[in-house]
Amino acid sequence: MHFAFIVDPPDSLKPAKDSSIAMMRAAQAAGHGVSIIEAPDLFWDSQADAVAAEALSITLTASAESWYVPGERRTLALRDVDAIVMRKDPPFDLEYVTATWLLERAEHDGARVFNRPRALRDHSEKLSIAEFARFAAPTRVARRAEAIDAFIDEHADVILKPLDGMGGAGVFRVRRDDPNRNAIIEALTDLGGRTIMAQRYLPAISDGDKRILIIDGEVVPYCLARIPRSGETRGNLAAGGRGVARPLSPRDREIATALAPVLAARGLFLVGIDVIGDCLTEINVTSPTCMVEIQAQTGFDVAAMFITALERAVRAAPLTSRGAGVADA
């Protein structure tokens, strides 16, 4: 099989911890060909009636620095690839949405895309917890300052964050008596022009913000607890958090197994849910990570589990449309 991964510029990826690289290495180890595509290289051509991309075939190495050897660069019709794995990081902006439109068109022509583009487009990684409110911390999503103020007054200690951020960017802890409270709300909401999320602060963050991975409806048995550094409230690894792999607790498993079949049925093949204490806080679908850390600390090969599930999904849904494509035109 041949798998194409849509990723950010390859030189920006960090092989020591990047889950996309771990997946590609696992794919190659399983005997599959691997190509990488950058989102700007996607295009639709009316004459060939195909969504295609300039793709670079690569050979993965074990190096912590030069993690791949470039091969041939060629134009591929996406319907002619065994699987397309969408791993482009946010921002979830119009260009990201446009990529999902192109990928959805490719799906219509027979391409197999994981996660499904419509599911990516329809799923807010923050607001999606509203569907599973029974598991969530007290939360309010609003753009008017008075609605956010009322929530802070009620809960006294809250976390405020943008709906489109990642890696802990733009996340603030705000107490009822915080002298910067109004300024933080004004900045995050852009003076009422942008909707944000407020969640009651969970002291259990000191024990870690747990990333739990779900692959095609199957829950990975280990999570990565991302523990904030001293003086921080954010456990994100990008914000300096320390990752500690652990077996799932009964509550972790309860939440994950409740969500898993619902999300898988929508075409969300790889999901990373975040749990603090006993509360669900986010459902991440664009480019969930933490595979490398879990394997390094437990020996459980999450990336290999992903590739095995991907092989199974490809075999279960053989391509129905193998046109000439742009590459052969």
Side-chain angles (χ1 to χ4, degrees), residues 304-315:
M305 177 181 171
F306 175 85
I307 294 301
T308 298
L310 190 62
E311 292 168 339
R312 187 168 57 243
V314 169
R315 293 189 182 107

Side-chain angles (χ1 to χ4, degrees), residues 211-232:
R211 167 59 54 83
I212 302 168
L213 295 168
I214 304 170
I215 299 172
D216 197 22
E218 185 176 352
V219 181
V220 173
Y222 298 92
C223 67
L224 190 76
R226 296 159 298 170
I227 300 171
R229 63 184 177 183
S230 178
E232 257 286 1

Side-chain angles (χ1 to χ4, degrees), residues 190-220:
D190 194 18
L191 297 174
R194 184 169 56 206
T195 302
I196 66 170
M197 173 173 280
Q199 288 182 324
R200 187 180 70 192
Y201 174 73
L202 299 171
I205 184 63
S206 63
D207 193 44
D209 180 356
K210 294 172 285 186
R211 167 59 54 83
I212 302 168
L213 295 168
I214 304 170
I215 299 172
D216 197 22
E218 185 176 352
V219 181
V220 173

Side-chain angles (χ1 to χ4, degrees), residues 66 74 128 131 153 176 199:
S66 301
R74 62 193 179 110
S128 58
E131 183 177 357
D153 288 338
R176 185 185 290 148
Q199 288 182 324

